Amino acid sequence: VKSWAEIVQRAKEIAPGSRSENTKRRTACGGVKGLYADFQSFKPELPAPHGISFYVQWLVPNEDYVDETKQEPIPKTQKSKKVGKTVEAKNKSPRYVIKTYRLKPGLTLAQARKEAMKIVIMINEGKDPLAKKESARKAKELQKAKELQAKKQNTFRNVAEDYITAMAKGGKWAQWQDPHQGERKERQHAERHVFPFLGEKLASSITPLDVANILNPLLKSNPKTAQKTKTFIRKVFRWAMAAGIYGITTSPIDERLEVLTEQARKNVQDTGNMGSVEPSRITEFIKDLLTGTARASISRLAIIFSILTAARSQAVRLAKWAHINFETGEWTIPRENDKLKGARRHRTIYLSRQALDLLSRLPRISDYIFPSRHLQPLTGNAFSVTIRKLHLTKKLQDGIGWCDLNVLNPDGTPALVSQHGCRATFKTWAVDDKNGNNKKFPEIASELCLLHQPNDPFKHAYNRNDYATTCKELMQAWGDFCFQGINLDDYLKRLEDNED
């Protein structure tokens, strides 16, 4: 055949799957001697080339062939030991053998002819095309062997993986609602901030300079991530030295590293306080979240809920319906969603009537209370993006927007209000001496409502009161204060669009 259409037609004519037809499930292609099209995997329903492949065949002299004319005469007949018959002796080794070179799959006829021509030229030059292919195969196997050998070495990645696995087996995240989540987060952090730089290095060869080259840029862009990265590397080396099976005797996290990162640490700017809303304007801020130029979105409602509960962003974004007890009015934050992971830490937030009313009006379209459009948790910057949009809209109205005039950015401009800053709004209101809250509620109650760990050197060995009653009263008083003049019935009819 000479065209692609002829090849496809020939393939269709042969019944697929018939063993008796297997020898016919090929055809020679015109244009290049020895080029064949193979129909063994032909399926017309597949996209072109429909499973058709190509190969080149040629004859080469058989090294095992014996030329009888140059050897001693062989008797024409000999006795068969089994049946006693006379049979003719034959030379069982053929003069030539067929060699086959299969082209890579997915080629068109034109491409196959082009590749086949290269092979024919090599054959005519006395070269063996299969030798190159075999050499490439052996090189690939050798590379795999080297990679396998490298994996057996004590690279930092391997040691760190062993460390994380050991921590998981030891129950480091056992108290989490999803124990595997802590392990995943640890690996994700390492994959992003550590392994790209230290992963393939032998752990015993890592120097303080190697670590400093990671930390110094992070100290400039994200000091918290830099500290987390340093802590992770320190823990890996401490564990490896204690295990004593990796040949590691020293850690790069030492005084030399402090010297190498000293200037970067000095240049870290104090971010200061986050912008917050004055307590006297918190109701106005909530109304703005409920109305504004855009309809209230899931992220806006999540911010309102975070204000009513004085909760951290992560806990709100990852909150699930299963965490809420509507009968007791309590929200229990799982250990993995909390900032601090202590096993005996207080993690219950008491919900005001306003917070429960807000939750009761939300559709349960996901396990998460405040899901994104993909029914997954809101992203980490969802609240800041929402507040920035709210600020820009208000700035067009009053020329100021939602800024905290008492907190300045490094460039001297007022800091934008933040979700986390609203926790400061709650604390300021809770201890305000003008409204008498400082006498009405003990400060430890507001600290517990913020899920702050009280500064008790004896770890509550003596005072074991959880102040539950006082905290409930405090959160209800805060809900009443925030929702002065607000009736959700006036707004919920506009809360249909869950996109920000």
Side-chain angles (χ1 to χ4, degrees):
V1 295
K2 295 184 179 180
S3 68
W4 176 252
E6 290 178 274
I7 291 177
V8 175
Q9 183 59 35
R10 183 69 61 85
K12 290 180 178 179
E13 292 173 356
I14 300 173
S18 174
R19 292 188 177 182
S20 61
E21 295 293 334
N22 277 347
T23 56
K24 298 180 181 179
R25 292 179 67 80
R26 69 173 188 172
T27 184
C29 303
V32 180
K33 184 179 179 181
L35 175 61
Y36 293 85
D38 187 357
F39 309 146
Q40 293 289 338
S41 302
F42 173 76
K43 290 182 181 180
E45 66 271 15
L46 293 176
H50 312 296
I52 296 175
S53 59
F54 297 91
Y55 61 91
V56 179
Q57 284 189 339
W58 68 100
L59 296 175
V60 295
N62 185 4
E63 296 178 354
D64 297 330
Y65 175 76
V66 179
D67 189 346
E68 297 180 2
T69 61
K70 298 180 180 180
Q71 302 292 329
E72 294 181 2
I74 300 176
K76 290 185 178 181
T77 60
Q78 60 183 17
K79 289 284 186 178
S80 171
K81 294 182 179 179
K82 290 186 178 180
V83 297
K85 292 183 179 180
T86 301
V87 296
E88 186 174 334
K90 293 183 179 180
N91 188 342
K92 296 183 179 180
S93 298
R95 183 183 293 271
Y96 296 97
V97 293
I98 299 175
K99 284 196 172 185
T100 302
Y101 187 104
R102 288 200 168 271
L103 304 181
K104 61 183 180 181
L107 297 180
T108 64
L109 178 58
Q111 293 170 333
R113 283 173 172 160
K114 186 176 180 180
E115 293 296 320
M117 185 59 70
K118 295 179 181 178
I119 294 172
V120 171
I121 292 174
M122 291 181 65
I123 295 171
N124 293 337
E125 292 176 350
K127 299 177 182 178
D128 186 357
L130 291 175
K132 184 177 180 181
K133 199 171 186 179
E134 180 66 14
S135 176
R137 185 188 66 80
K138 289 182 178 180
K140 189 174 182 180
E141 290 180 352
L142 181 61
Q143 181 63 26
K144 284 185 177 180
K146 289 181 178 179
E147 291 176 356
L148 182 62
Q149 183 63 29
K151 288 181 179 180
K152 293 180 179 180
Q153 294 179 343
N154 296 328
T155 62
F156 183 81
R157 177 188 291 274
N158 294 338
V159 176
E161 290 285 358
D162 289 349
Y163 159 76
I164 296 173
T165 300
M167 293 300 101
K169 289 182 178 179
K172 181 177 181 179
W173 303 285
Q175 299 299 322
W176 289 33
Q177 192 172 38
D178 179 7
H180 299 293
Q181 185 178 352
E183 185 178 351
R184 286 196 300 271
K185 285 187 174 182
E186 194 89 318
R187 293 185 192 279
Q188 288 170 358
H189 178 83
E191 288 286 354
R192 183 173 182 180
H193 298 290
V194 184
F195 290 164
F197 310 99
L198 302 180
E200 304 312 313
K201 286 179 173 287
L202 285 176
S204 58
S205 69
I206 294 176
T207 65
L209 181 60
D210 294 327
V211 180
N213 289 336
I214 299 175
L215 298 183
N216 284 334
L218 285 175
L219 284 167
K220 183 177 181 181
S221 61
N222 195 330
K224 289 184 179 180
T225 301
Q227 182 58 45
K228 186 175 181 180
T229 301
K230 179 182 177 181
T231 301
F232 173 76
I233 297 173
R234 176 194 291 115
K235 288 182 176 179
V236 171
F237 274 93
R238 285 185 62 190
W239 176 84
M241 287 189 293
I245 58 175
Y246 299 98
I248 300 173
T249 56
T250 60
S251 171
I253 311 297
D254 56 17
E255 293 183 1
R256 294 172 296 172
L257 179 64
E258 297 302 310
V259 174
L260 293 171
T261 58
E262 182 178 8
Q263 191 58 50
R265 286 185 284 109
K266 285 182 178 179
N267 292 338
V268 173
Q269 295 182 345
D270 183 8
T271 56
N273 298 324
M274 293 186 177
S276 63
V277 182
E278 287 287 338
S280 60
R281 299 188 66 196
I282 193 66
T283 301
E284 179 189 356
F285 184 62
I286 292 175
K287 285 183 177 180
D288 227 1
L289 286 166
L290 286 169
T291 55
T293 57
R295 288 177 290 179
S297 64
I298 278 294
S299 58
R300 292 190 179 202
L301 294 175
I303 294 172
I304 295 173
F305 182 74
S306 74
I307 293 172
L308 291 171
T309 56
R312 293 185 176 91
S313 166
Q314 176 174 276
V316 175
R317 290 186 294 103
L318 300 180
K320 294 183 177 181
W321 292 108
H323 304 158
I324 306 295
N325 188 328
F326 283 91
E327 293 183 2
T328 61
E330 296 178 356
W331 170 27
T332 302
I333 299 176
R335 184 179 181 180
E336 61 266 31
N337 295 357
D338 192 16
K339 178 181 178 181
L340 302 179
K341 313 299 183 185
R344 300 175 62 185
R345 178 171 156 74
H346 169 81
R347 294 188 178 89
T348 299
I349 291 182
Y350 302 102
L351 302 176
S352 62
R353 290 189 298 272
Q354 291 79 3
L356 290 168
D357 184 24
L358 177 64
L359 292 179
S360 67
R361 297 167 186 260
L362 299 178
R364 299 194 182 191
I365 58 177
S366 169
D367 291 339
Y368 295 98
I369 299 176
F370 303 102
S372 67
R373 65 186 66 187
H374 303 295
L375 305 185
Q376 295 300 312
L378 293 170
T379 60
N381 64 345
F383 293 165
S384 60
V385 170
T386 299
I387 292 177
R388 181 170 293 279
K389 289 180 180 179
L390 199 70
H391 160 72
L392 293 175
T393 301
K394 189 169 183 61
K395 189 174 182 179
L396 292 176
Q397 300 170 359
D398 61 10
I400 299 175
W402 285 109
C403 290
D404 187 344
L405 301 180
N406 296 317
V407 178
L408 301 180
N409 294 317
D411 60 1
T413 59
L416 195 66
V417 164
S418 66
Q419 180 273 335
H420 193 81
C422 290
R423 286 165 53 83
T425 305
F426 165 76
K427 179 66 177 182
T428 302
W429 170 85
V431 297
D432 191 354
D433 59 348
K434 294 180 182 178
N435 58 23
N437 282 347
N438 63 320
K439 296 180 179 179
K440 191 182 302 183
F441 305 109
E443 185 171 3
I444 190 173
S446 59
E447 287 296 292
L448 290 172
C449 289
L450 289 167
L451 297 191
H452 284 167
Q453 194 71 30
N455 186 17
D456 181 2
F458 298 103
K459 307 295 182 184
H460 302 285
Y462 299 100
N463 183 1
R464 302 178 185 180
N465 186 9
D466 59 5
Y467 296 89
T469 301
T470 305
C471 288
K472 289 179 181 178
E473 293 175 356
L474 176 57
M475 295 309 292
Q476 185 55 57
W478 172 243
D480 295 338
F481 178 79
C482 290
F483 267 51
Q484 297 177 82
I486 296 178
N487 185 350
L488 283 180
D489 291 333
D490 299 332
Y491 301 97
L492 280 184
K493 60 184 178 181
R494 306 176 70 184
L495 305 183
E496 300 171 355
D497 188 359
N498 285 345
E499 296 181 1
D500 198 24

